[in-house]
Amino acid sequence: MIAGALAIGRAADLRAAWTELLGSRVCDLRRLLRGRWPYRMSDIVGSVATRYFGKRLLSDTRIPLAVVVTQLRTRGFSRRVLTERDSIPLADAILASCFLPGPYSRMVPIDRRLTFDGAWLCRVPIDAAVVLGARRVIACVSDDDGRLLRGAWWPRIVAAPADVDYRVLSPVIPLPVRSFDFDRHATFETFAIGQESARLFVDRNREWLKDGRFSASSVEATASTPTPTSRPTGV
């Protein structure tokens, strides 16, 4: 969602769009009485993505955008990077990249293949940003230790590609908001932590940010601050 907002030039109003969801019930057991799955993340995220991005395609962005998904193939799970070359609505690509069985009730297949959250294989796809042409990458993570992780349910630490010039933007303190959490107080506190983390990141990396084309690469982003002299890409 954050990378998509940056890519279409609407980052300023993303906060308002997201706060509309605060207080949403992720699980409603009464839905079982109507023969429906009780978890509502597909409805919640799908509705805001559709309203926010409309009918835009992945190619209808101001800056290059890639959305990473995991697909099930005959030999197992594999990663796929969706870009402007794929004629796919931006809202569908984002919802497809969020799907985890259980919390989400509706899968969005891509090219008729079973498609899951990109975090299944890699939470912070730094190398995908490089494919878009970024020489430098800002890896935005929610882990307050700044670790690069993989795995949707049981995270494991992974090493970044050795030939990539990157910096990690991580929270300065642990985030109070949790997965599938629309608690109002925790969300606003997380916004504040993200803003402060981004400010400190810019202060510490000001010279690095001034020189070179870079990208904000994230599956679990907190915040990112492109500098006026750079032409960013988003993942």
Side-chain angles (χ1 to χ4, degrees):
M1 288 286 291
I2 294 175
L6 289 169
I8 66 173
R10 290 191 58 191
D13 55 358
L14 179 60
R15 177 177 177 135
W18 195 256
T19 53
E20 292 179 9
L21 304 178
L22 297 183
S24 299
R25 298 180 61 179
V26 174
C27 181
D28 184 357
L29 295 178
R30 294 173 299 179
R31 291 164 60 93
L32 291 173
L33 300 176
R34 302 191 298 272
R36 302 180 65 183
W37 188 245
Y39 288 93
R40 304 180 54 245
M41 285 301 295
S42 288
D43 297 332
I44 295 170
V45 177
S47 63
V48 71
T50 300
R51 291 197 310 271
Y52 192 77
F53 296 109
K55 297 181 179 180
R56 288 183 178 87
L57 301 179
L58 277 171
S59 57
D60 299 329
T61 60
R62 295 184 180 182
I63 62 176
L65 174 69
V67 178
V68 180
V69 298
T70 303
Q71 293 191 307
L72 182 60
R73 299 174 179 267
T74 54
R75 295 185 179 181
F77 289 107
S78 64
R79 191 178 69 170
R80 177 174 173 182
V81 181
L82 305 175
T83 68
E84 61 184 3
R85 296 186 297 272
D86 298 285
S87 183
I88 297 172
L90 180 51
D92 285 355
I94 289 173
L95 191 56
S97 73
C98 293
F99 179 77
L100 290 173
Y104 287 81
S105 58
R106 295 194 307 273
M107 177 184 288
V108 180
I110 303 296
D111 292 341
R112 299 183 181 181
R113 294 186 181 277
L114 299 179
T115 305
F116 301 84
D117 193 326
W120 204 282
L121 294 180
C122 183
R123 294 192 180 191
V124 189
I126 292 176
D127 54 343
V130 175
V131 171
L132 285 180
R135 295 198 319 227
R136 301 183 177 186
V137 178
I138 302 174
C140 306
V141 303
S142 61
D143 181 79
D144 54 283
D145 288 327
R147 299 174 299 175
L148 303 180
L149 303 174
R150 64 170 293 171
W153 299 116
W154 298 279
R156 299 184 300 279
I157 299 175
V158 296
D163 56 346
V164 178
D165 185 6
Y166 76 97
R167 299 287 190 277
V168 175
L169 196 171
S170 60
V172 292
I173 59 175
L175 299 177
V177 74
R178 302 302 177 190
S179 300
F180 319 120
D181 184 359
F182 293 100
D183 178 80
R184 180 174 296 274
H185 177 74
T187 298
F188 282 116
E189 188 177 350
T190 296
F191 286 164
I193 294 171
Q195 290 174 333
E196 178 63 11
S197 302
R199 185 189 67 79
L200 291 174
F201 178 88
V202 171
D203 287 345
R204 294 168 181 168
N205 297 277
R206 194 171 299 276
E207 293 303 316
W208 181 78
L209 290 168
K210 285 181 180 179
D211 180 27
R213 175 172 172 161
F214 70 93
S215 164
S217 171
S218 173
V219 171
E220 43 174 16
T222 51
S224 60
T225 307
T227 62
T229 56
S230 61
R231 184 175 188 273
T233 58
V235 178

